[in-house]
Amino acid sequence: MPGERMPYERRRVDVADRVLREWGLTLPESFFRFWTFLEGLGPVERQALADMDVAAAGVADLCADPGLPARDGIDVRAHGRYYRDPPEFLTFLHGGSDGLHYGLWFDDGRTCDGVASYYTHDGGGLDRRWRTPLEALRAKLERHWRDLADDDADAAYLAARMSGLERMREALTALETGDRTEVGLAYSNTYDTGLPPEDPDRITTLDAGGALVAGRTALDRPPHQGADEYRFAQYMYGLFEDAAAVEAGVADALRWCADGDPAEALVLGRDLHWASAGDKTREAQANTLLVAAYRALGRTSLVEIAEAHHRHRDLPRVDVLDTGGV
């Protein structure tokens, strides 16, 4: 029953079963290590996490009560789904200012292929440099450590903040990244900078996440990480101002998809989804393209997530689970 607190192992099984049943996605073991980390935090570590303005969100909300239903009339797959989230993105953590949030990434609509994040209220695209939730959290922790080390605030306040972060780091490294002895700036310089190399298995997209697909694209797009992002974005946003050109591009992409090549439908659909900006025509075009591409690629779960998101993209809030007023 919603609201009842079950033992951890029972909740773990129930959360995994529910996400597989309703989202069609298999939660990775790395997500459960992240959950184990959260469950094991004491008051000092929890305060340190709160001081970082970080909190569990999205699918992680089920960890406390796997049976929580969605509010009446809302598809549960819309929970934690921000307006620009690609269907491949499954939110598990809110990261603080400007709508920063993190999600598990499911390229094939079945298995997790790392972690992505972006600022929903700010510029910039998806950052997919991390393999696991705890690796992403460690990077954020060390950025806070670096910033506190350069802060000129009250010494006692800084000492208390850094002590909390140190204890949280100890809890985290007991589960992951324990071989990384660097902290603060040294950690960021070693593990948290630079761009990954080109990925020949992925095609450039406007959201900077890349699409796992091969085939023909209208712009002969380069591999992921192979484009000048600024110039590409300038061109695409300019193109989207020409309604007739977009309509023609959508028609071409759907025709190619029907002929067995879904690449353009996927990348153009992702671009339009990212750049919809409340435009109902773009939203509809994006959804049509994405559904066609995912169906052609056999990514059934992403079809259903895309359709659920399209129905609920105008929700005023992303938390749709019914907690009974709690």
Side-chain angles (χ1 to χ4, degrees):
M1 292 291 291
E4 291 185 356
R5 186 72 167 179
M6 295 182 292
Y8 167 75
E9 288 300 330
R10 172 67 183 279
R11 282 183 285 133
R12 171 180 168 138
V13 170
D14 286 358
V15 168
D17 287 349
R18 185 175 184 191
V19 172
L20 181 59
R21 182 176 66 253
E22 298 191 8
W23 278 263
L25 306 174
T26 299
L27 290 173
E29 187 60 33
S30 63
F31 173 78
F32 295 108
R33 285 196 298 274
F34 167 73
W35 182 0
T36 297
F37 164 78
L38 293 180
E39 290 266 330
L41 294 181
V44 173
E45 296 92 335
R46 290 184 185 280
Q47 185 59 53
L49 195 68
D51 289 341
M52 288 170 54
D53 201 15
V54 169
V59 69
D61 290 335
L62 294 174
C63 294
D65 184 349
L68 284 173
R71 299 195 305 273
D72 286 348
I74 303 178
D75 192 305
V76 71
R77 287 167 291 199
H79 180 63
R81 185 157 293 281
Y82 290 73
Y83 181 80
R84 291 194 297 168
D85 286 3
E88 293 86 349
F89 189 105
L90 183 67
T91 299
F92 68 89
L93 186 73
H94 187 272
S97 63
D98 295 317
L100 174 63
H101 60 296
Y102 296 76
L104 303 172
W105 187 265
F106 293 85
D107 264 321
D108 64 2
R110 295 186 300 276
T111 56
C112 180
D113 185 36
V115 168
S117 72
Y118 76 96
Y119 294 84
T120 194
H121 303 316
D122 201 356
L126 293 161
D127 188 341
R128 295 189 59 247
R129 75 183 73 187
W130 304 289
R131 296 169 299 172
T132 71
L134 285 179
E135 187 181 43
L137 185 58
R138 174 81 191 272
K140 188 165 181 62
L141 184 159
E142 299 302 349
R143 285 186 224 124
H144 276 263
W145 184 275
R146 175 197 64 200
D147 294 344
L148 286 172
D150 290 337
D151 203 317
D152 59 0
D154 176 75
Y157 165 78
L158 291 176
R161 286 286 304 275
M162 295 183 81
S163 176
L165 287 178
E166 191 167 29
R167 289 180 58 168
M168 189 168 69
R169 183 192 291 126
E170 290 173 359
L172 192 157
T173 55
L175 296 169
E176 276 191 31
T177 69
D179 58 333
R180 301 180 180 184
T181 58
E182 302 88 347
V183 301
L185 180 60
Y187 185 95
S188 296
N189 286 341
T190 304
Y191 303 106
D192 199 27
T193 59
L195 292 174
E198 289 187 13
D199 185 346
D201 295 325
R202 310 176 67 80
I203 297 177
T204 291
T205 54
L206 186 59
D207 58 24
L212 183 65
V213 69
R216 175 187 181 187
T217 62
L219 300 177
D220 193 21
R221 299 187 189 211
H224 178 52
Q225 301 294 351
D228 181 320
E229 288 187 6
Y230 178 75
R231 290 181 59 192
F232 179 69
Q234 273 193 317
Y235 178 85
M236 294 305 298
Y237 280 110
L239 174 65
F240 291 161
E241 295 303 313
D242 186 338
V246 173
E247 187 173 349
V250 169
D252 286 342
L254 290 173
R255 184 171 65 255
W256 297 349
C257 188
D259 289 341
D261 187 347
E264 177 66 10
L266 179 55
V267 297
L268 183 57
R270 285 269 299 278
D271 291 351
L272 285 164
H273 180 87
W274 186 257
S276 291
D279 185 303
K280 297 302 180 184
T281 299
R282 288 188 196 175
E283 290 178 1
Q285 290 169 330
N287 185 64
T288 298
L289 288 167
L290 289 174
V291 167
Y294 293 139
R295 279 183 176 149
L297 291 163
R299 301 173 186 175
T300 305
S301 62
L302 297 184
V303 171
E304 296 175 356
I305 291 169
E307 292 187 319
H309 193 189
H310 181 62
R311 291 194 300 272
H312 299 301
R313 283 193 84 178
D314 59 353
L315 288 176
R317 44 190 277 204
V318 301
D319 50 330
V320 306
L321 293 179
D322 188 350
T323 60
V326 177

